[in-house]
Amino acid sequence: MGNKVKSIILISGPLMFLVLFSLYLQIAVLSDPKGFTSWLSQFGLFVILVYILIQSLTIIIAPIGGFFIQVAMLTLFPPAFAFTIIYLVVTPLYLVNFLIARKFGRPLVIRLVGRKALEKVDHMAKDMGVSTLLILKLFQGMYFDYISYAVGLTQIPFKTFAIINVLTGIPGILINYYILSRFENLTVGIVVWVVFAYVLLGFSIWLNHLLKKHKKF
């Protein structure tokens, strides 16, 4: 067996496993969120390790979507603790996405997030400056897995991205906590949280367009 074939197997084997696992998550887990939360609770304190593993998978392979695992954490722990864990886990993962894009380029990013999804955020990242990155991080936290890949394909320095990613993520988490803590019913709080996130998404798109139109980067 040639070295080239061995290299392909070593690379494609783990990737194929992740793809199959992602399909399992989407079909089996997402179809029964209550059952999944119950399954998580059986791990006790080790549930945090399970969360880190699954959340890492859903951010690096962005199309999976990691909202369901965050909701599970919010059902298992008080909002303040759950959001703290979420912030501490997702923040470095966005740095991983950035570095993957910066090191391996567009071909690998397309394989991880999909061509259409990348094209949707490419126009936001085009001619990106600090102001645009701040807006995207603050108002589009739910889609920052895609955005972190797109930014990695730009000329934004890693240090600039890291500082904005770490610091701007804090007010985002505080806003989410404030919204969710206003409601005794967790389901109602999550619905309001999601609606508010989409409102911020629309606002960020408008503000980003406005800044680019007047070239205030």
Side-chain angles (χ1 to χ4, degrees):
M1 184 180 295
N3 291 332
K4 186 175 182 180
V5 176
K6 289 181 179 179
S7 299
I8 293 174
I9 293 176
L10 288 173
I11 295 174
S12 62
L15 184 60
M16 182 61 69
F17 170 76
L18 290 175
V19 170
L20 292 175
F21 188 48
S22 71
L23 290 175
Y24 166 76
L25 287 175
Q26 294 180 71
I27 296 173
V29 176
L30 296 179
S31 63
D32 185 16
K34 290 184 178 179
F36 179 63
T37 302
S38 176
W39 175 72
L40 275 181
S41 65
Q42 298 177 10
F43 288 89
L45 292 178
F46 289 102
V47 70
I48 296 177
L49 295 178
V50 177
Y51 162 72
I52 292 173
L53 174 64
I54 297 176
Q55 185 75 88
S56 299
L57 182 64
T58 62
I59 288 182
I60 293 175
I61 306 181
I64 299 177
F67 183 68
F68 73 95
I69 186 64
Q70 294 183 7
V71 171
M73 289 292 287
L74 288 166
T75 62
L76 293 174
F77 299 105
F81 181 80
F83 276 125
T84 299
I85 296 299
I86 290 171
Y87 170 80
L88 293 175
V89 172
V90 302
T91 301
L93 286 171
Y94 294 142
L95 298 179
V96 172
N97 286 3
F98 178 96
L99 292 173
I100 289 174
R102 183 60 53 89
K103 181 174 178 60
F104 298 102
R106 183 173 294 271
L108 180 59
V109 173
I110 290 175
R111 290 179 180 273
L112 290 172
V113 307
R115 186 180 301 275
K116 291 184 178 180
L118 184 59
E119 289 175 353
K120 289 180 180 179
V121 295
D122 262 346
H123 71 282
M124 295 182 184
K126 184 180 179 181
D127 301 322
M128 178 178 286
V130 173
S131 298
T132 303
L133 182 56
L134 280 168
I135 291 170
L136 294 179
K137 175 60 180 178
L138 184 60
F139 298 120
Q140 295 200 29
M142 291 181 67
Y143 300 96
F144 207 69
D145 43 2
Y146 291 98
I147 294 170
S148 58
Y149 276 121
V151 179
L153 298 174
T154 69
Q155 298 301 314
I156 293 285
F158 174 75
K159 183 178 180 180
T160 300
F161 176 80
I163 292 173
I164 292 176
N165 176 52
V166 172
L167 297 183
T168 313
I170 296 174
I173 285 292
L174 291 176
I175 291 172
N176 292 337
Y177 168 72
Y178 177 80
I179 293 173
L180 214 62
S181 63
R182 297 302 94 188
F183 300 91
E184 294 184 3
N185 187 300
L186 180 62
T187 302
V188 174
I190 290 174
V191 170
V192 175
W193 174 29
V194 172
V195 171
F196 185 73
Y198 278 105
V199 171
L200 290 181
L201 171 63
F203 176 75
S204 70
I205 293 174
W206 172 80
L207 187 57
N208 183 40
H209 174 74
L210 186 65
L211 285 174
K212 287 191 173 185
K213 181 178 180 181
H214 294 283
K215 298 182 180 180
K216 294 180 180 179
F217 297 99

mmCIF file of all heavy atoms in Angstrom, residues 138-184:
data_model
loop_
_atom_site.group_PDB
_atom_site.id
_atom_site.type_symbol
_atom_site.label_atom_id
_atom_site.label_comp_id
_atom_site.label_asym_id
_atom_site.label_seq_id
_atom_site.Cartn_x
_atom_site.Cartn_y
_atom_site.Cartn_z
ATOM 1 N N LEU A 138 -20.849 40.132 18.342
ATOM 2 C CA LEU A 138 -21.799 40.556 19.359
ATOM 3 C C LEU A 138 -23.226 40.146 19.028
ATOM 4 O O LEU A 138 -23.975 39.712 19.913
ATOM 5 C CB LEU A 138 -21.732 42.074 19.542
ATOM 6 C CG LEU A 138 -22.606 42.674 20.654
ATOM 7 C CD1 LEU A 138 -22.222 42.084 22.005
ATOM 8 C CD2 LEU A 138 -22.476 44.186 20.680
ATOM 9 N N PHE A 139 -23.608 40.252 17.743
ATOM 10 C CA PHE A 139 -25.009 40.055 17.364
ATOM 11 C C PHE A 139 -25.292 38.745 16.638
ATOM 12 O O PHE A 139 -26.452 38.403 16.418
ATOM 13 C CB PHE A 139 -25.485 41.216 16.490
ATOM 14 C CG PHE A 139 -25.444 42.540 17.189
ATOM 15 C CD1 PHE A 139 -24.658 43.576 16.700
ATOM 16 C CD2 PHE A 139 -26.183 42.770 18.338
ATOM 17 C CE1 PHE A 139 -24.613 44.807 17.334
ATOM 18 C CE2 PHE A 139 -26.147 43.991 18.984
ATOM 19 C CZ PHE A 139 -25.358 45.010 18.480
ATOM 20 N N GLN A 140 -24.255 38.021 16.229
ATOM 21 C CA GLN A 140 -24.488 36.774 15.499
ATOM 22 C C GLN A 140 -23.809 35.599 16.185
ATOM 23 O O GLN A 140 -23.225 34.737 15.532
ATOM 24 C CB GLN A 140 -24.005 36.907 14.050
ATOM 25 C CG GLN A 140 -24.791 37.925 13.251
ATOM 26 C CD GLN A 140 -24.670 37.718 11.763
ATOM 27 O OE1 GLN A 140 -24.477 36.610 11.296
ATOM 28 N NE2 GLN A 140 -24.817 38.783 11.003
ATOM 29 N N GLY A 141 -23.897 35.576 17.505
ATOM 30 C CA GLY A 141 -23.251 34.516 18.266
ATOM 31 C C GLY A 141 -23.696 33.114 17.868
ATOM 32 O O GLY A 141 -22.907 32.173 17.901
ATOM 33 N N MET A 142 -24.962 32.968 17.475
ATOM 34 C CA MET A 142 -25.479 31.653 17.116
ATOM 35 C C MET A 142 -24.851 31.121 15.832
ATOM 36 O O MET A 142 -24.883 29.919 15.570
ATOM 37 C CB MET A 142 -27.005 31.708 16.953
ATOM 38 C CG MET A 142 -27.759 31.934 18.251
ATOM 39 S SD MET A 142 -29.544 31.953 18.029
ATOM 40 C CE MET A 142 -29.856 30.248 17.567
ATOM 41 N N TYR A 143 -24.294 32.003 15.010
ATOM 42 C CA TYR A 143 -23.708 31.596 13.739
ATOM 43 C C TYR A 143 -22.209 31.848 13.687
ATOM 44 O O TYR A 143 -21.615 31.838 12.613
ATOM 45 C CB TYR A 143 -24.393 32.356 12.592
ATOM 46 C CG TYR A 143 -25.872 32.098 12.525
ATOM 47 C CD1 TYR A 143 -26.778 32.963 13.122
ATOM 48 C CD2 TYR A 143 -26.366 30.958 11.894
ATOM 49 C CE1 TYR A 143 -28.137 32.717 13.080
ATOM 50 C CE2 TYR A 143 -27.725 30.706 11.852
ATOM 51 C CZ TYR A 143 -28.605 31.588 12.448
ATOM 52 O OH TYR A 143 -29.954 31.340 12.411
ATOM 53 N N PHE A 144 -21.599 32.048 14.846
ATOM 54 C CA PHE A 144 -20.192 32.416 14.844
ATOM 55 C C PHE A 144 -19.283 31.237 14.512
ATOM 56 O O PHE A 144 -18.102 31.428 14.238
ATOM 57 C CB PHE A 144 -19.778 33.030 16.186
ATOM 58 C CG PHE A 144 -18.619 33.977 16.064
ATOM 59 C CD1 PHE A 144 -18.758 35.186 15.419
ATOM 60 C CD2 PHE A 144 -17.376 33.644 16.583
ATOM 61 C CE1 PHE A 144 -17.684 36.055 15.284
ATOM 62 C CE2 PHE A 144 -16.302 34.502 16.459
ATOM 63 C CZ PHE A 144 -16.452 35.715 15.807
ATOM 64 N N ASP A 145 -19.805 30.020 14.535
ATOM 65 C CA ASP A 145 -19.006 28.885 14.078
ATOM 66 C C ASP A 145 -18.693 29.039 12.592
ATOM 67 O O ASP A 145 -17.551 28.854 12.159
ATOM 68 C CB ASP A 145 -19.706 27.550 14.361
ATOM 69 C CG ASP A 145 -21.183 27.559 14.040
ATOM 70 O OD1 ASP A 145 -21.686 28.585 13.552
ATOM 71 O OD2 ASP A 145 -21.846 26.535 14.273
ATOM 72 N N TYR A 146 -19.717 29.414 11.794
ATOM 73 C CA TYR A 146 -19.501 29.673 10.372
ATOM 74 C C TYR A 146 -18.606 30.901 10.175
ATOM 75 O O TYR A 146 -17.679 30.893 9.362
ATOM 76 C CB TYR A 146 -20.830 29.913 9.660
ATOM 77 C CG TYR A 146 -21.707 28.699 9.549
ATOM 78 C CD1 TYR A 146 -22.745 28.487 10.451
ATOM 79 C CD2 TYR A 146 -21.517 27.762 8.538
ATOM 80 C CE1 TYR A 146 -23.563 27.366 10.348
ATOM 81 C CE2 TYR A 146 -22.341 26.645 8.425
ATOM 82 C CZ TYR A 146 -23.359 26.457 9.331
ATOM 83 O OH TYR A 146 -24.164 25.346 9.233
ATOM 84 N N ILE A 147 -18.915 31.952 10.914
ATOM 85 C CA ILE A 147 -18.198 33.218 10.752
ATOM 86 C C ILE A 147 -16.723 33.060 11.103
ATOM 87 O O ILE A 147 -15.846 33.625 10.445
ATOM 88 C CB ILE A 147 -18.851 34.321 11.608
ATOM 89 C CG1 ILE A 147 -20.257 34.619 11.079
ATOM 90 C CG2 ILE A 147 -18.010 35.598 11.607
ATOM 91 C CD1 ILE A 147 -21.089 35.505 11.974
ATOM 92 N N SER A 148 -16.418 32.284 12.144
ATOM 93 C CA SER A 148 -15.018 32.099 12.549
ATOM 94 C C SER A 148 -14.207 31.450 11.438
ATOM 95 O O SER A 148 -13.022 31.769 11.262
ATOM 96 C CB SER A 148 -14.949 31.275 13.833
ATOM 97 O OG SER A 148 -15.566 30.014 13.672
ATOM 98 N N TYR A 149 -14.834 30.539 10.695
ATOM 99 C CA TYR A 149 -14.153 29.954 9.538
ATOM 100 C C TYR A 149 -13.921 31.014 8.462
ATOM 101 O O TYR A 149 -12.837 31.122 7.890
ATOM 102 C CB TYR A 149 -14.982 28.814 8.952
ATOM 103 C CG TYR A 149 -14.785 27.482 9.626
ATOM 104 C CD1 TYR A 149 -15.848 26.802 10.205
ATOM 105 C CD2 TYR A 149 -13.533 26.874 9.656
ATOM 106 C CE1 TYR A 149 -15.678 25.564 10.812
ATOM 107 C CE2 TYR A 149 -13.345 25.636 10.264
ATOM 108 C CZ TYR A 149 -14.425 24.986 10.833
ATOM 109 O OH TYR A 149 -14.242 23.767 11.439
ATOM 110 N N ALA A 150 -14.968 31.803 8.180
ATOM 111 C CA ALA A 150 -14.871 32.826 7.134
ATOM 112 C C ALA A 150 -13.800 33.865 7.470
ATOM 113 O O ALA A 150 -13.036 34.289 6.597
ATOM 114 C CB ALA A 150 -16.223 33.512 6.936
ATOM 115 N N VAL A 151 -13.727 34.268 8.743
ATOM 116 C CA VAL A 151 -12.731 35.259 9.148
ATOM 117 C C VAL A 151 -11.318 34.690 9.003
ATOM 118 O O VAL A 151 -10.379 35.415 8.655
ATOM 119 C CB VAL A 151 -12.971 35.714 10.599
ATOM 120 C CG1 VAL A 151 -11.916 36.719 11.028
ATOM 121 C CG2 VAL A 151 -14.354 36.338 10.741
ATOM 122 N N GLY A 152 -11.168 33.390 9.246
ATOM 123 C CA GLY A 152 -9.867 32.756 9.088
ATOM 124 C C GLY A 152 -9.352 32.807 7.665
ATOM 125 O O GLY A 152 -8.146 32.673 7.420
ATOM 126 N N LEU A 153 -10.248 33.022 6.705
ATOM 127 C CA LEU A 153 -9.859 33.114 5.298
ATOM 128 C C LEU A 153 -9.554 34.545 4.871
ATOM 129 O O LEU A 153 -9.224 34.796 3.713
ATOM 130 C CB LEU A 153 -10.980 32.546 4.411
ATOM 131 C CG LEU A 153 -11.312 31.067 4.637
ATOM 132 C CD1 LEU A 153 -12.529 30.663 3.809
ATOM 133 C CD2 LEU A 153 -10.120 30.177 4.298
ATOM 134 N N THR A 154 -9.685 35.493 5.808
ATOM 135 C CA THR A 154 -9.400 36.895 5.517
ATOM 136 C C THR A 154 -8.000 37.251 6.012
ATOM 137 O O THR A 154 -7.247 36.399 6.470
ATOM 138 C CB THR A 154 -10.425 37.822 6.200
ATOM 139 O OG1 THR A 154 -10.219 37.787 7.622
ATOM 140 C CG2 THR A 154 -11.854 37.387 5.891
ATOM 141 N N GLN A 155 -7.672 38.540 5.951
ATOM 142 C CA GLN A 155 -6.375 39.019 6.414
ATOM 143 C C GLN A 155 -6.409 39.495 7.871
ATOM 144 O O GLN A 155 -5.426 40.055 8.363
ATOM 145 C CB GLN A 155 -5.900 40.177 5.510
ATOM 146 C CG GLN A 155 -5.693 39.776 4.064
ATOM 147 C CD GLN A 155 -4.665 38.667 3.915
ATOM 148 O OE1 GLN A 155 -3.588 38.708 4.513
ATOM 149 N NE2 GLN A 155 -5.003 37.655 3.123
ATOM 150 N N ILE A 156 -7.531 39.283 8.548
ATOM 151 C CA ILE A 156 -7.619 39.672 9.960
ATOM 152 C C ILE A 156 -6.559 38.914 10.756
ATOM 153 O O ILE A 156 -6.490 37.679 10.691
ATOM 154 C CB ILE A 156 -9.015 39.353 10.531
ATOM 155 C CG1 ILE A 156 -10.079 40.234 9.884
ATOM 156 C CG2 ILE A 156 -9.044 39.521 12.047
ATOM 157 C CD1 ILE A 156 -10.092 41.652 10.346
ATOM 158 N N PRO A 157 -5.714 39.601 11.530
ATOM 159 C CA PRO A 157 -4.696 38.905 12.341
ATOM 160 C C PRO A 157 -5.338 38.027 13.415
ATOM 161 O O PRO A 157 -6.413 38.355 13.937
ATOM 162 C CB PRO A 157 -3.895 40.055 12.978
ATOM 163 C CG PRO A 157 -4.185 41.251 12.136
ATOM 164 C CD PRO A 157 -5.577 41.065 11.628
ATOM 165 N N PHE A 158 -4.669 36.926 13.739
ATOM 166 C CA PHE A 158 -5.192 36.014 14.757
ATOM 167 C C PHE A 158 -5.363 36.724 16.095
ATOM 168 O O PHE A 158 -6.352 36.505 16.802
ATOM 169 C CB PHE A 158 -4.255 34.815 14.920
ATOM 170 C CG PHE A 158 -4.654 33.904 16.056
ATOM 171 C CD1 PHE A 158 -5.727 33.046 15.930
ATOM 172 C CD2 PHE A 158 -3.954 33.925 17.256
ATOM 173 C CE1 PHE A 158 -6.109 32.213 16.980
ATOM 174 C CE2 PHE A 158 -4.324 33.095 18.304
ATOM 175 C CZ PHE A 158 -5.397 32.237 18.165
ATOM 176 N N LYS A 159 -4.407 37.576 16.459
ATOM 177 C CA LYS A 159 -4.474 38.278 17.741
ATOM 178 C C LYS A 159 -5.727 39.145 17.823
ATOM 179 O O LYS A 159 -6.405 39.181 18.860
ATOM 180 C CB LYS A 159 -3.223 39.130 17.933
ATOM 181 C CG LYS A 159 -3.179 39.852 19.277
ATOM 182 C CD LYS A 159 -1.886 40.639 19.429
ATOM 183 C CE LYS A 159 -1.841 41.361 20.777
ATOM 184 N NZ LYS A 159 -0.581 42.141 20.949
ATOM 185 N N THR A 160 -6.033 39.856 16.739
ATOM 186 C CA THR A 160 -7.233 40.710 16.712
ATOM 187 C C THR A 160 -8.482 39.870 16.868
ATOM 188 O O THR A 160 -9.380 40.199 17.652
ATOM 189 C CB THR A 160 -7.298 41.489 15.389
ATOM 190 O OG1 THR A 160 -6.134 42.311 15.267
ATOM 191 C CG2 THR A 160 -8.549 42.362 15.329
ATOM 192 N N PHE A 161 -8.541 38.763 16.115
ATOM 193 C CA PHE A 161 -9.702 37.878 16.201
ATOM 194 C C PHE A 161 -9.841 37.310 17.606
ATOM 195 O O PHE A 161 -10.946 37.252 18.158
ATOM 196 C CB PHE A 161 -9.577 36.735 15.194
ATOM 197 C CG PHE A 161 -10.681 35.726 15.292
ATOM 198 C CD1 PHE A 161 -11.920 35.973 14.717
ATOM 199 C CD2 PHE A 161 -10.490 34.533 15.976
ATOM 200 C CE1 PHE A 161 -12.952 35.044 14.824
ATOM 201 C CE2 PHE A 161 -11.509 33.606 16.079
ATOM 202 C CZ PHE A 161 -12.747 33.863 15.503
ATOM 203 N N ALA A 162 -8.723 36.881 18.203
ATOM 204 C CA ALA A 162 -8.762 36.266 19.528
ATOM 205 C C ALA A 162 -9.275 37.240 20.582
ATOM 206 O O ALA A 162 -10.117 36.880 21.426
ATOM 207 C CB ALA A 162 -7.369 35.753 19.908
ATOM 208 N N ILE A 163 -8.793 38.475 20.549
ATOM 209 C CA ILE A 163 -9.211 39.474 21.539
ATOM 210 C C ILE A 163 -10.704 39.763 21.416
ATOM 211 O O ILE A 163 -11.440 39.778 22.418
ATOM 212 C CB ILE A 163 -8.393 40.778 21.375
ATOM 213 C CG1 ILE A 163 -6.934 40.540 21.766
ATOM 214 C CG2 ILE A 163 -8.990 41.897 22.221
ATOM 215 C CD1 ILE A 163 -6.019 41.704 21.486
ATOM 216 N N ILE A 164 -11.171 39.977 20.181
ATOM 217 C CA ILE A 164 -12.591 40.266 19.967
ATOM 218 C C ILE A 164 -13.435 39.058 20.332
ATOM 219 O O ILE A 164 -14.503 39.182 20.955
ATOM 220 C CB ILE A 164 -12.834 40.684 18.504
ATOM 221 C CG1 ILE A 164 -12.177 42.038 18.244
ATOM 222 C CG2 ILE A 164 -14.337 40.741 18.193
ATOM 223 C CD1 ILE A 164 -12.272 42.502 16.810
ATOM 224 N N ASN A 165 -12.980 37.872 19.980
ATOM 225 C CA ASN A 165 -13.714 36.643 20.271
ATOM 226 C C ASN A 165 -13.887 36.446 21.773
ATOM 227 O O ASN A 165 -14.978 36.107 22.243
ATOM 228 C CB ASN A 165 -12.969 35.450 19.666
ATOM 229 C CG ASN A 165 -13.615 34.130 19.993
ATOM 230 O OD1 ASN A 165 -14.806 33.936 19.793
ATOM 231 N ND2 ASN A 165 -12.827 33.203 20.506
ATOM 232 N N VAL A 166 -12.830 36.674 22.523
ATOM 233 C CA VAL A 166 -12.869 36.453 23.974
ATOM 234 C C VAL A 166 -13.674 37.534 24.693
ATOM 235 O O VAL A 166 -14.559 37.234 25.504
ATOM 236 C CB VAL A 166 -11.436 36.392 24.549
ATOM 237 C CG1 VAL A 166 -11.476 36.365 26.074
ATOM 238 C CG2 VAL A 166 -10.703 35.167 24.018
ATOM 239 N N LEU A 167 -13.384 38.798 24.386
ATOM 240 C CA LEU A 167 -14.002 39.905 25.129
ATOM 241 C C LEU A 167 -15.453 40.156 24.714
ATOM 242 O O LEU A 167 -16.315 40.373 25.564
ATOM 243 C CB LEU A 167 -13.179 41.180 24.948
ATOM 244 C CG LEU A 167 -11.749 41.135 25.505
ATOM 245 C CD1 LEU A 167 -11.065 42.478 25.331
ATOM 246 C CD2 LEU A 167 -11.758 40.739 26.980
ATOM 247 N N THR A 168 -15.731 40.116 23.414
ATOM 248 C CA THR A 168 -17.088 40.422 22.946
ATOM 249 C C THR A 168 -18.057 39.294 23.248
ATOM 250 O O THR A 168 -19.271 39.509 23.268
ATOM 251 C CB THR A 168 -17.072 40.723 21.434
ATOM 252 O OG1 THR A 168 -16.010 41.645 21.142
ATOM 253 C CG2 THR A 168 -18.377 41.342 20.983
ATOM 254 N N GLY A 169 -17.523 38.110 23.507
ATOM 255 C CA GLY A 169 -18.407 37.005 23.863
ATOM 256 C C GLY A 169 -19.016 37.170 25.247
ATOM 257 O O GLY A 169 -20.080 36.608 25.538
ATOM 258 N N ILE A 170 -18.380 37.959 26.098
ATOM 259 C CA ILE A 170 -18.873 38.139 27.475
ATOM 260 C C ILE A 170 -20.208 38.869 27.523
ATOM 261 O O ILE A 170 -21.159 38.369 28.153
ATOM 262 C CB ILE A 170 -17.807 38.856 28.337
ATOM 263 C CG1 ILE A 170 -16.567 37.970 28.464
ATOM 264 C CG2 ILE A 170 -18.368 39.191 29.722
ATOM 265 C CD1 ILE A 170 -15.399 38.635 29.171
ATOM 266 N N PRO A 171 -20.359 40.052 26.878
ATOM 267 C CA PRO A 171 -21.682 40.691 26.899
ATOM 268 C C PRO A 171 -22.753 39.848 26.230
ATOM 269 O O PRO A 171 -23.918 39.885 26.648
ATOM 270 C CB PRO A 171 -21.453 42.011 26.133
ATOM 271 C CG PRO A 171 -20.190 41.828 25.387
ATOM 272 C CD PRO A 171 -19.361 40.897 26.201
ATOM 273 N N GLY A 172 -22.368 39.069 25.214
ATOM 274 C CA GLY A 172 -23.346 38.191 24.576
ATOM 275 C C GLY A 172 -23.901 37.167 25.542
ATOM 276 O O GLY A 172 -25.117 36.933 25.595
ATOM 277 N N ILE A 173 -23.028 36.557 26.329
ATOM 278 C CA ILE A 173 -23.453 35.565 27.320
ATOM 279 C C ILE A 173 -24.298 36.232 28.410
ATOM 280 O O ILE A 173 -25.297 35.674 28.874
ATOM 281 C CB ILE A 173 -22.224 34.870 27.934
ATOM 282 C CG1 ILE A 173 -21.634 33.868 26.945
ATOM 283 C CG2 ILE A 173 -22.581 34.177 29.236
ATOM 284 C CD1 ILE A 173 -22.514 32.674 26.671
ATOM 285 N N LEU A 174 -23.902 37.431 28.838
ATOM 286 C CA LEU A 174 -24.656 38.143 29.875
ATOM 287 C C LEU A 174 -26.062 38.488 29.392
ATOM 288 O O LEU A 174 -27.032 38.400 30.158
ATOM 289 C CB LEU A 174 -23.908 39.422 30.281
ATOM 290 C CG LEU A 174 -22.588 39.207 31.036
ATOM 291 C CD1 LEU A 174 -21.900 40.543 31.301
ATOM 292 C CD2 LEU A 174 -22.830 38.460 32.346
ATOM 293 N N ILE A 175 -26.179 38.874 28.123
ATOM 294 C CA ILE A 175 -27.502 39.174 27.547
ATOM 295 C C ILE A 175 -28.364 37.922 27.548
ATOM 296 O O ILE A 175 -29.544 37.949 27.929
ATOM 297 C CB ILE A 175 -27.365 39.739 26.126
ATOM 298 C CG1 ILE A 175 -26.738 41.135 26.164
ATOM 299 C CG2 ILE A 175 -28.729 39.791 25.430
ATOM 300 C CD1 ILE A 175 -26.394 41.695 24.794
ATOM 301 N N ASN A 176 -27.778 36.799 27.112
ATOM 302 C CA ASN A 176 -28.520 35.534 27.088
ATOM 303 C C ASN A 176 -28.979 35.130 28.489
ATOM 304 O O ASN A 176 -30.121 34.689 28.685
ATOM 305 C CB ASN A 176 -27.647 34.431 26.489
ATOM 306 C CG ASN A 176 -27.372 34.646 25.017
ATOM 307 O OD1 ASN A 176 -28.111 35.336 24.324
ATOM 308 N ND2 ASN A 176 -26.288 34.061 24.527
ATOM 309 N N TYR A 177 -28.093 35.301 29.462
ATOM 310 C CA TYR A 177 -28.440 34.952 30.840
ATOM 311 C C TYR A 177 -29.572 35.851 31.353
ATOM 312 O O TYR A 177 -30.514 35.364 31.991
ATOM 313 C CB TYR A 177 -27.226 35.084 31.750
ATOM 314 C CG TYR A 177 -27.584 35.019 33.219
ATOM 315 C CD1 TYR A 177 -27.980 33.821 33.798
ATOM 316 C CD2 TYR A 177 -27.563 36.169 34.017
ATOM 317 C CE1 TYR A 177 -28.329 33.754 35.139
ATOM 318 C CE2 TYR A 177 -27.915 36.107 35.355
ATOM 319 C CZ TYR A 177 -28.295 34.901 35.902
ATOM 320 O OH TYR A 177 -28.660 34.847 37.219
ATOM 321 N N TYR A 178 -29.480 37.137 31.055
ATOM 322 C CA TYR A 178 -30.511 38.074 31.523
ATOM 323 C C TYR A 178 -31.878 37.690 30.959
ATOM 324 O O TYR A 178 -32.879 37.676 31.696
ATOM 325 C CB TYR A 178 -30.153 39.499 31.102
ATOM 326 C CG TYR A 178 -31.207 40.515 31.481
ATOM 327 C CD1 TYR A 178 -31.281 41.012 32.776
ATOM 328 C CD2 TYR A 178 -32.149 40.950 30.540
ATOM 329 C CE1 TYR A 178 -32.260 41.924 33.132
ATOM 330 C CE2 TYR A 178 -33.133 41.861 30.889
ATOM 331 C CZ TYR A 178 -33.183 42.348 32.185
ATOM 332 O OH TYR A 178 -34.161 43.242 32.531
ATOM 333 N N ILE A 179 -31.918 37.369 29.680
ATOM 334 C CA ILE A 179 -33.189 37.009 29.046
ATOM 335 C C ILE A 179 -33.756 35.748 29.683
ATOM 336 O O ILE A 179 -34.940 35.695 30.067
ATOM 337 C CB ILE A 179 -32.997 36.794 27.532
ATOM 338 C CG1 ILE A 179 -32.650 38.119 26.851
ATOM 339 C CG2 ILE A 179 -34.263 36.201 26.908
ATOM 340 C CD1 ILE A 179 -32.289 37.973 25.396
ATOM 341 N N LEU A 180 -32.916 34.719 29.801
ATOM 342 C CA LEU A 180 -33.408 33.429 30.292
ATOM 343 C C LEU A 180 -33.803 33.498 31.764
ATOM 344 O O LEU A 180 -34.741 32.827 32.196
ATOM 345 C CB LEU A 180 -32.330 32.359 30.093
ATOM 346 C CG LEU A 180 -32.849 30.951 29.777
ATOM 347 C CD1 LEU A 180 -33.621 30.962 28.470
ATOM 348 C CD2 LEU A 180 -31.695 29.968 29.685
ATOM 349 N N SER A 181 -33.108 34.316 32.538
ATOM 350 C CA SER A 181 -33.387 34.400 33.975
ATOM 351 C C SER A 181 -34.651 35.193 34.280
ATOM 352 O O SER A 181 -35.109 35.201 35.426
ATOM 353 C CB SER A 181 -32.199 35.026 34.703
ATOM 354 O OG SER A 181 -31.990 36.358 34.272
ATOM 355 N N ARG A 182 -35.229 35.852 33.275
ATOM 356 C CA ARG A 182 -36.458 36.618 33.489
ATOM 357 C C ARG A 182 -37.689 35.719 33.554
ATOM 358 O O ARG A 182 -38.767 36.173 33.944
ATOM 359 C CB ARG A 182 -36.678 37.639 32.356
ATOM 360 C CG ARG A 182 -35.616 38.735 32.199
ATOM 361 C CD ARG A 182 -35.429 39.557 33.449
ATOM 362 N NE ARG A 182 -34.333 39.026 34.261
ATOM 363 C CZ ARG A 182 -34.030 39.443 35.469
ATOM 364 N NH1 ARG A 182 -34.769 40.376 36.038
ATOM 365 N NH2 ARG A 182 -33.010 38.928 36.133
ATOM 366 N N PHE A 183 -37.546 34.460 33.150
ATOM 367 C CA PHE A 183 -38.703 33.580 33.042
ATOM 368 C C PHE A 183 -38.535 32.364 33.960
ATOM 369 O O PHE A 183 -37.484 31.724 33.985
ATOM 370 C CB PHE A 183 -38.870 33.100 31.595
ATOM 371 C CG PHE A 183 -39.075 34.218 30.605
ATOM 372 C CD1 PHE A 183 -37.978 34.796 29.961
ATOM 373 C CD2 PHE A 183 -40.341 34.693 30.314
ATOM 374 C CE1 PHE A 183 -38.147 35.818 29.049
ATOM 375 C CE2 PHE A 183 -40.516 35.729 29.404
ATOM 376 C CZ PHE A 183 -39.420 36.292 28.769
ATOM 377 N N GLU A 184 -39.593 32.064 34.705
ATOM 378 C CA GLU A 184 -39.573 30.876 35.546
ATOM 379 C C GLU A 184 -39.708 29.618 34.702
ATOM 380 O O GLU A 184 -39.157 28.576 35.037
ATOM 381 C CB GLU A 184 -40.708 30.944 36.576
ATOM 382 C CG GLU A 184 -40.537 32.067 37.601
ATOM 383 C CD GLU A 184 -41.620 32.033 38.664
ATOM 384 O OE1 GLU A 184 -42.458 31.087 38.619
ATOM 385 O OE2 GLU A 184 -41.644 32.918 39.534
#
